[in-house]
Amino acid sequence: LFEELLFRVGIMTPVWFLTRRWGWGLLFSAVAFGLYHISPLSSMATVNLQAPVTAVVESFGVGLAMGVLYRYRGFMTAVMVHALGNWLVVLIFFAT
């Protein structure tokens, strides 16, 4: 919930509003989302710093997907898909 609020509502929407182009908001928030996942603010930073380029590119892609979901399906859909993705990672981790 926090990440979706910060990156979609807090970053994507204002950039979209200021530039009048949703693509700029999407791009800016996805870049920020990717970089966030290697910052000390992220709980995954210690894991992601083992392969930082991969972590940023992967998180950037997820940020793009969540931004498109937010744009066309709304905030709660982006939150639910993000949560489902996080839970799938946890389930796969514990299943192995």
Side-chain angles (χ1 to χ4, degrees):
L1 183 64
F2 167 75
E3 289 181 358
E4 292 305 315
L5 274 172
L6 175 63
F7 294 103
R8 264 33 94 198
V9 178
I11 295 175
M12 183 177 164
T13 301
V15 173
W16 178 6
F17 178 77
L18 291 171
T19 63
R20 306 233 187 264
R21 304 214 185 266
W22 83 271
W24 283 113
L26 175 64
L27 184 63
F28 192 82
S29 68
V31 167
F33 190 75
L35 293 174
Y36 165 78
H37 282 88
I38 61 167
S39 78
L41 300 173
S42 171
S43 60
M44 292 298 296
T46 54
V47 173
N48 288 340
L49 284 175
Q50 294 174 10
V53 173
T54 302
V56 170
V57 171
E58 181 183 84
S59 297
F60 171 78
V62 171
L64 287 176
M66 293 300 108
V68 170
L69 278 173
Y70 171 68
R71 165 73 168 94
Y72 291 106
R73 295 293 180 187
F75 176 72
M76 285 310 299
T77 302
V79 169
M80 289 187 294
V81 170
H82 191 148
L84 178 63
N86 288 348
W87 275 106
L88 286 175
V89 169
V90 170
L91 290 173
I92 291 168
F93 177 75
F94 283 113
T96 59

